[in-house]
Every structure is written in structure tokens, then in C-alpha cells.
Amino acid sequence: MALPCFGEIGHDRDRAAQVEMILQRVDALPTLSPIATRLMRVSGAEDADLDEIVTLIESDPALSARILGLCRRADLGLGDQITTVRRAVIMLGLEAVQSAVLSVHVYDLLDREADELDVGDDVGEGVGRFDRPGIWRHAIGVACASELIAARNPSVRVRPEAAFVAGLLHDIGRLTLELVLPRAYRRVVALAERRSCDSSPVERQVIGLDHHTAGRRVARRWGLPSAIQGVIWLHARPVESLPDTPERELVCVVTLAKILCRRQHLGWSGDFGEPADIDSVAPHLGVAAHDIEALVPDLLRALGDRCAVLGLDERTPPELMLESIARANERLSGLNQALLRRGRRSDHQKRVLDAIGAFHADWSADLGVSETLARVAESAQSLFGPGFYASVHQPGAGRPWLITQFGAGGRVMRADSAEAPPGLAGGGALASLADTSQLTMGAVGALPWLSDYLGDAADLRNVRLLALCSAGKHPGRESVHEDADALTAVLLHEPDPRGAGYTREELGAITSAWSSAIMGASRHERARRLGEILAESSRALAEMQAAMTEREAMTRLGEMSAGAAHEMNNPLTTIRGRSQMLAQRLRGGDRATADAIVEASEHLGELIESMHLLACPTDPCTEALEPASLVREAVERARQRTGSGQGARVICDEGVGTALADREQLGLALTELITNALEAAPNEIVELRVQTDPLDDRLVFRIVDRGRGLSRRAARHAFDPFFSEKTAGRQTGLGLARARRLIELQGGELSLSNASEGGCVATVTIPRGAPAPGGGCISGMAA
């Protein structure tokens, strides 16, 4: 039955389904012929009928000729005296006949099946050569060696004929896999030879099962004895790991025979690792290693005879020895080539490791992403060679692409920003181009916007793309998480690293180092940015907390002032009126007493009015006013309050223009500030400057005195109601609080600071337009 050629097994498929499919193909192979099956059953019985056995053999002329050929072996010394099948069976014995029949039928069966499937050597480039005649010669060699070991060492308790059959079929699984999976198995051979290892681990990697498993499946289907199945399954394993079963000695004999044949390079074994030492098995059988090595001359004669019987090319022992030497030389040459390849590979790996070390020595996380990409370009130039290098990175999804071209040593030659083309997947995400590790830019015509940035390349078709990191995919991880700030970066380069001999694994190592550095720099930048945002948020929170605290204080003050005004206004009115009446009627010292009562009641009334104004001011009534005239009016009011003729210098910048504000409220606030400035330095000139803020066109009033400035305590509590550092009783401590409240009603701000040359600076900033509504009472209670 012809089977289709089975190609290379894909690693991404379900392995269990692959193995089952392969085993089904193995089961589809033809079974042993009826003659072989009946002959094995008849000759294995205790009351075997010689006539029946002779009749079965004579029914197959080709089989009869090969049985007679066995009688002509040199070690029997009978020449051409045996001419009938009966005499040959009597002379050879039933077990020898059985092993010979099985050998002939298995060889003919698999060889004929291979011819029908047309499994030849030409299976394509990059795959190994499967030497079918060589594997048969090796199997016959192991069979002959097993027979000799069993015959020369009776203490082993293994019948020579059983040892021969077991040795012959020990590698039947290898022939089976090559028969049903020719291309895949030749790839196994190529990989095993390249790695200088045995084929079993490579079989499991590429195909999903090894030739031991396939061979045991065939042996069961053919109904072979359990001892032979055990040899097929367990041979070549360490003797110490073999289970204690009846066929353990037979497995050891075949394992020892295979070691001997591999060391003598008899045939082609399909394994390329170093064979085990004879000493590792021989002691377990009670056999000396030198006795095993002494079997080589007899082994070569037996191998020549058996190959002739099976129809392989007949060779003399000297010819087999020469072939063994040739194979040894071929093996030595292969090892030399492997050493050269490994030497070149080691040199490339050293260069990669040196490049990784130099890159990390020159990089630190605080460099930032752009500087790190420059270091990557410099490292790539040292590894791949000179040429065109550029990077494209996207700080996050939906952001512009940043394109940088590098010169020698990673020097930035050109840096641009470009919006991603709308046709790309993911809404312009650079990750859509970073899905592959190597991508030539031969189709750069599809991205005309990028060609402008690749103009310095010698040939755009040779520019390659190397993905460095892609939208949340980290080195060594398969999972990808969605992250708006995830960095994507690719390296565009003209030199071909694969052409320079670097493997995918080596490129993966250096790329992982670059990617880790880029992601580290990106995380460092994000952490720094988050730190700045956190600091800004902390400052804003502190300001909000301070504003809330002040508002709560003002609320309590408003409630207090409202209550005070309600409870004190009526009694205070009575006191004020009665004291005025008394002052009019009294004369002398009594009148002075009454006048003092009047003055105190008026002062208390002003205090209540100030508290009411602070807690619940009236809404501003805006009008267009001229700042210079407003300042001069405020200066005159301040002079009247202080009762001094102290000088004040008013400086108004050109082009100040007008502003919309409540003239009375803003004038009262400026009067409070100028009054404080005059009192801070009675003998100095106070400077008042009116100017425009060039950034937002706001109007700025600056009042500068030459006093002693603000203390640390005053700087913290200057705007607190009733706070004052002046002598107790001289001030109420409401002036600055009231001034700021009035300025805030105009939509402005008031700040205090110490001047560098001494004194204090009060800065008032108000918008030119009308203030936003929302002044009014702090407390819900009206006076």
C-alpha cells in the first residue's frame, strides 16, 4: 500500500494528535508474509513437524535459495555439500532457520515498500541523507555481534539465534519512521549530525516520538516475541536504568553489540553522538571488554556472509575493514567540520556577548529613550558594520512616530516627528510593523511617507527592520497587555546580520539586551514624569487644603461677625447716641470722658463693619478705571490714615490702559496695602509700580517698602484675621485679610514676599475684564 510523503511536522500543532496520526501510518504498513508467520509459529512449537517446515520453505523458491546459501558459510566448512532444504534445516537447526526466514522477510518487506513509495535520496536542500543499505548493514552487524557474544559467553544465558534476531530488528523503528515520514526523518538526520548527538531526542523534538516507540508498535503488529519487543524498546538505555525483566540480559547483549559496531563504524547507525564505552555494559554481563573487542575479525566474516544471503553487496572482511576505516575517516572529517562550525559560532557568540557587555557598560536608565536608542544604534554599528541606521519609536498608542537617523558612533544626524499613516492596523500603531523580527523594506513604495526619512540609505530595498520592543510585549514574554503609554520601537538598518553569519538566537540575545534597556529607559521616564505629576498634585492638594482651612476660618468668622453685628449693633447704637448727647451737655473733664466713650463706640462699630465686610462683602460694581489715578487716590487715603506726609513714588508703565473693576473695593484694598507700607518704613519712600503682565495681559500693582520685611511667622499668617506683629491695641489685624478678600472679588490675587534688598513686596494681579460672579457672603447668615 503506497503512502503519501509526510512533510515536516509543525511544532504548533497538537502533539498528541501528531503522534496518533504517525502511529496510524505505522499500523498501515504491510505485515509479515503468511509463510513467515506460519513458519515462526510452527518452528516455535515444542512438537514442531520437520516435514511441515520443509514444505513451507520449499513453497518459496527465493527463500529456499537463501537458506541453502546460509549453509555455505565459511565457518561451517561444508561448501556445496548441502543441496536440499531438508538437509539445510537439519544442519542449521530450527531456531537458525527461523531467524534466517525472519531476516529475509523483514528486509524484503521494507525494501519493497520503499521502492513502491519511491523514497529516494533527493528530498530537497537542507535535509540529511538516509543511508538505507548502510542502516541494514549496521543492523546485520549488530545481529552478528549479538550472536557471537551470546555464543562465546554461555554464562550470559542468551541463545545465539534469539540474539541474532533481536540484533537484526533492534532499529526497525528507524527504518519505519524513515519509510512513512521521509522528509521529516531526513531533517532529523541533518539536525542530529549538526548537533553531533544521537537521533532519539531529535526525533522526539521534530516528529513527536522516537524510533524506539515506532519500532515497538511495528513489533506488536507483526506479533514478534515479547523479548524482541523489549530489545527494540529498551536497547541503548543505560544498563542501570533497565527494569528487572526476563529479557534484561538480551537487551544488554544487543546494547553491547551496538556499541561494538558503532565503534568499528560498521554500516550506518543514524546516531552521531559519541558511543558509550564497552566497559559500561560488559561487566554487567560478566564479560571482559577485551574479549568483546577480540570478536572483530569473526564479526567481519559473519557480516559479509549474512549481507550476501540478504542480497546486499557481498564483501570480504578486508573490504569491510576498509569500509569501516573510510566511515571512521568520514566521521572524523564530520567532527572536524563541526568543530570549525562551532569555532565560528563561538566567535560570533563572543562578539555578541562583548557587544552586550559594552552596551550595558555605556548605558544607564537615566539616559532616556532617545539617548538609549542612540546607544543601540552605536552597538548595532559595532556588531553589524557601518551603513545606514535609523530608529522609529512611538511613545504610546495614538502618538506621533519619532524618527531618528544616526551617524557613526550613534551620533544623531536627523530627528523628525511624523503622524502614522491611517492605513496601518491599530489606528496607526507602530506595533503593526513590529510583528516580525526581520522585514525587508522592498515594498517601501507602500509607505511613501517613510521614504523621505530613508533617503540617505544606499539602496532602500536593502533597509531592514528589527523590532526592539512592541506595545507592552516584554523580552522573554509572550503575553501582551494593552497600555496607552506602552513604548514601541524598531531599528532600521542596512547591513544584513544574517548574511554576516549571526543566527536568530544570537540576534535574539542582543535584541533582548537592547529591548530591556529601552523599556528600562521608558519606565524611568514614566516614573520621573509620574513623580513630577505627583509633586504637582501634592502642591495643588496642599493649596486646596490651605484654601479649605482658610475658608472654614472665614466661615466661622462670618458666622461670628454676623452674630456680633446682630447682638452688638443695637446696644452699640444706644451707647454711641447717649455718649454723644452727654458730650454735648457736659463741660470740662466730664466732656472728655464722654468724647472717649464716643470714640471707642465708633472704633467698635468700624471693627464690626470690617468683620461684616470680610465675611459678607457686597458684589463688585465694575467700571472702567484708570490704574494710575486709582493708585494716587489710594496713596492720599493712606496718608490720611497714617497722618504723615511720607513720600510715595508712583511709576506707571506706558500702554497700561484701563481695567474693569469695582473702584471702591479695589481702592480700599490698595489703601490697606499702602498704609502697611508707609507704617513699615516711616522715613522711607514707598514705591508703587503699575504694569502689564506680558504673558496673560493681566494688570499688576506692586507696592515696595524699605522696612524690615516679613518674619517667617508673618509670612505664614499674614492673611489670618486678627493677626498682627505690631504692638497690641494699635491694629485690629484685619487689614490684609480684608484687602485680599476685596482683591479676590475682582478675580485677582494678592501675594507678599521679601525684597532681595530688604523690605516687603505686595503684588496685586487682576484681570482686565470683569470678574466672574460668585463673590458674596461666605456664611449663609446675613448681618
Side-chain angles (χ1 to χ4, degrees):
M1 179 182 64
L3 297 176
C5 180
F6 193 81
E8 179 180 344
I9 306 299
H11 292 287
D12 55 343
R13 301 179 185 174
D14 184 75
R15 184 51 57 94
Q18 290 179 5
V19 172
E20 185 59 32
M21 180 172 56
I22 294 169
L23 292 177
Q24 289 176 3
R25 291 181 173 232
V26 171
D27 290 339
L29 291 174
T31 59
L32 294 176
S33 68
I35 293 178
T37 304
R38 288 178 58 190
L39 189 59
M40 288 180 61
R41 185 171 60 250
V42 171
S43 60
E46 295 182 358
D47 54 348
D49 187 346
L50 180 60
D51 292 335
E52 184 177 1
I53 293 174
V54 171
T55 302
L56 287 173
I57 295 174
E58 289 177 342
S59 64
D60 187 339
L63 181 58
S64 300
R66 292 187 179 183
I67 294 296
L68 291 175
L70 283 176
C71 298
R72 301 187 181 97
R73 292 186 306 171
D75 58 338
L76 295 177
L78 297 177
D80 297 330
Q81 298 178 20
I82 305 300
T83 58
T84 64
V85 174
R86 178 178 294 275
R87 292 192 62 186
V89 172
I90 294 173
M91 190 267 298
L92 293 174
L94 294 180
E95 290 185 346
V97 171
Q98 183 187 33
S99 64
V101 170
L102 186 60
S103 303
V104 170
H105 275 268
V106 169
Y107 176 78
D108 288 345
L109 172 65
L110 295 181
D111 197 54
R112 182 175 62 253
E113 190 69 18
D115 291 339
E116 291 181 2
L117 293 177
D118 193 20
V119 179
D121 293 333
D122 185 15
V123 290
E125 185 179 355
V127 293
R129 172 179 172 271
F130 188 87
D131 186 358
R132 190 176 294 105
I135 197 72
W136 273 115
R137 190 173 293 108
H138 177 74
I140 296 170
V142 173
C144 294
S146 301
E147 184 180 37
L148 288 171
I149 293 172
R152 302 289 175 86
N153 300 279
S155 60
V156 176
R157 299 191 305 277
V158 173
R159 290 181 289 107
E161 293 78 7
F164 180 88
V165 175
L168 179 71
L169 301 179
H170 79 283
D171 256 355
I172 194 68
R174 196 187 304 272
L175 286 160
T176 301
L177 288 179
E178 193 274 337
L179 188 64
V180 298
L181 307 174
R183 184 175 182 81
Y185 201 79
R186 281 166 168 75
R187 181 166 181 256
V188 168
V189 172
L191 288 174
E193 185 174 9
R194 187 182 309 160
R195 299 174 184 176
S196 297
C197 68
D198 291 344
S199 62
S200 293
V202 184
E203 290 166 353
R204 290 188 291 270
Q205 175 189 351
V206 175
I207 298 177
L209 76 163
D210 57 25
H211 65 274
H212 300 279
T213 302
R216 185 172 64 166
R217 185 70 169 248
V218 171
R220 285 179 177 175
R221 176 168 171 75
W222 288 354
L224 299 180
S226 59
I228 296 179
Q229 296 182 28
V231 169
I232 296 172
W233 174 244
L234 299 173
H235 81 274
R237 292 191 182 183
V239 177
E240 297 80 3
S241 66
L242 293 177
D244 189 11
T245 57
E247 62 268 15
R248 189 174 190 275
E249 286 74 13
L250 181 59
V251 174
C252 291
V253 168
V254 174
T255 300
L256 184 58
K258 188 173 183 66
I259 293 174
L260 178 63
C261 290
R262 286 192 62 191
R263 288 194 167 276
Q264 295 299 319
H265 301 280
L266 296 180
W268 184 82
S269 67
D271 291 322
F272 300 92
E274 183 65 21
D277 292 329
I278 293 177
D279 287 333
S280 65
V281 180
H284 292 275
L285 294 173
V287 180
H290 61 84
D291 291 338
I292 299 300
E293 294 171 351
L295 297 175
V296 172
D298 294 335
L299 175 59
L300 295 176
R301 287 192 295 271
L303 176 59
D305 293 339
R306 294 291 182 139
C307 288
V309 171
L310 288 177
L312 292 173
D313 50 341
E314 185 174 355
R315 298 186 184 183
T316 63
E319 291 174 337
L320 291 173
M321 180 62 71
L322 290 175
E323 180 185 1
S324 173
I325 295 173
R327 285 190 178 274
N329 289 332
E330 181 181 351
R331 171 66 173 159
L332 182 60
S333 175
L335 291 175
N336 288 334
Q337 292 297 324
L339 287 175
L340 290 175
R341 288 195 300 270
R342 291 183 180 181
R344 289 192 296 269
R345 184 60 47 234
S346 297
D347 180 65
H348 282 88
Q349 291 172 353
K350 182 179 182 302
R351 292 190 61 189
V352 170
L353 290 175
D354 290 343
I356 293 175
F359 174 77
H360 281 296
D362 192 42
W363 174 82
S364 61
D366 56 357
L367 286 177
V369 174
S370 298
E371 293 84 352
T372 299
L373 286 170
R375 297 295 193 280
V376 168
E378 181 181 7
S379 178
Q381 289 171 1
S382 67
L383 197 63
F384 303 159
F388 174 83
Y389 288 88
S391 70
V392 183
H393 75 280
Q394 187 178 24
R399 299 184 184 180
W401 292 13
L402 306 179
I403 306 170
T404 308
Q405 182 181 339
F406 303 100
R411 184 167 53 90
V412 176
M413 303 292 293
R414 179 182 179 184
D416 295 281
S417 174
E419 293 295 332
L424 283 182
L430 183 60
S432 59
L433 287 183
D435 286 340
T436 177
S437 61
Q438 286 288 332
L439 177 67
T440 62
M441 300 298 292
V444 72
L447 301 174
W449 58 273
L450 187 58
S451 62
D452 294 339
Y453 305 98
L454 303 180
D456 293 337
D459 189 348
L460 292 178
R461 294 171 299 178
N462 293 333
V463 176
R464 293 166 173 80
L465 185 149
L466 179 65
L468 297 175
C469 47
S470 175
K473 180 177 285 188
H474 300 277
R477 302 181 185 173
E478 291 299 326
S479 61
V480 178
H481 62 274
E482 293 295 332
D483 189 348
D485 293 328
L487 174 74
T488 301
V490 297
L491 179 69
L492 304 174
H493 57 96
E494 195 171 11
D496 183 10
R498 300 298 294 275
Y502 292 101
T503 64
R504 186 180 300 274
E505 291 76 14
E506 291 162 354
L507 291 177
I510 187 66
T511 303
S512 295
W514 294 338
S515 301
S516 298
I518 295 170
M519 296 304 297
S522 175
R523 286 191 292 268
H524 191 272
E525 282 189 353
R526 292 176 61 183
R528 184 168 56 239
R529 190 162 56 248
L530 289 175
E532 294 171 353
I533 294 174
L534 181 60
E536 293 175 1
S537 300
S538 179
R539 287 194 295 269
L541 179 61
E543 293 173 358
M544 291 178 62
Q545 289 176 337
M548 290 178 62
T549 301
E550 182 179 359
R551 188 172 184 84
E552 289 175 358
M554 296 298 292
T555 300
R556 289 193 294 269
L557 178 62
E559 293 173 352
M560 183 187 70
S561 63
H566 179 74
E567 297 295 335
M568 296 172 60
N569 267 338
N570 291 334
L572 185 61
T573 302
T574 301
I575 294 173
R576 184 184 299 162
R578 297 294 183 179
S579 62
Q580 289 175 350
M581 293 175 61
L582 286 174
Q584 293 174 358
R585 295 178 181 181
L586 296 176
R587 298 287 184 272
D590 293 336
R591 182 184 177 91
T593 301
D595 288 339
I597 296 173
V598 172
E599 183 179 354
S601 63
E602 289 178 352
H603 179 71
L604 183 60
E606 290 176 359
L607 177 62
I608 293 174
E609 183 181 356
S610 296
M611 293 171 58
H612 186 270
L613 176 65
L614 182 65
C616 190
T618 59
D619 290 334
C621 182
T622 60
E623 60 179 288
L625 52 87
E626 196 166 314
S629 63
L630 181 66
V631 169
R632 294 188 183 95
E633 292 175 3
V635 169
E636 291 302 321
R637 288 183 186 179
R639 284 174 175 168
Q640 292 175 5
R641 281 192 184 184
T642 59
S644 67
Q646 187 176 351
R649 182 187 303 116
V650 178
I651 303 173
C652 186
D653 291 355
E654 296 182 1
V656 170
T658 60
L660 290 177
D662 188 305
R663 188 181 192 89
E664 182 64 25
Q665 291 180 349
L666 183 57
L668 182 58
L670 292 175
T671 300
E672 293 285 354
L673 297 174
I674 296 171
T675 299
N676 283 348
L678 294 174
E679 292 178 345
N683 300 321
E684 299 288 340
I685 296 178
V686 174
E687 179 181 301
L688 298 97
R689 178 179 291 274
V690 183
Q691 60 191 42
T692 301
D693 190 332
L695 296 179
D696 55 7
D697 196 38
R698 290 165 69 90
L699 194 62
V700 180
F701 299 88
R702 197 179 304 276
I703 300 104
V704 183
D705 63 56
R706 293 294 181 266
R708 61 181 182 179
L710 297 171
S711 67
R712 184 175 300 178
R713 180 168 175 263
R716 289 197 305 267
H717 302 286
F719 296 110
D720 292 351
F722 304 107
F723 172 80
S724 176
E725 286 190 325
K726 297 178 181 178
T727 305
R730 291 189 60 188
Q731 296 291 339
T732 62
L734 291 176
L736 287 177
R738 181 171 54 189
R740 187 170 73 167
R741 181 67 176 142
L742 293 172
I743 290 171
E744 287 176 347
L745 289 175
Q746 316 308 311
E749 298 175 352
L750 170 62
S751 64
L752 299 177
S753 62
N754 285 321
S756 58
E757 63 274 10
C760 179
V761 179
T763 303
V764 176
T765 306
I766 62 171
R768 289 185 177 276
C777 297
I778 295 175
S779 171
M781 301 173 59

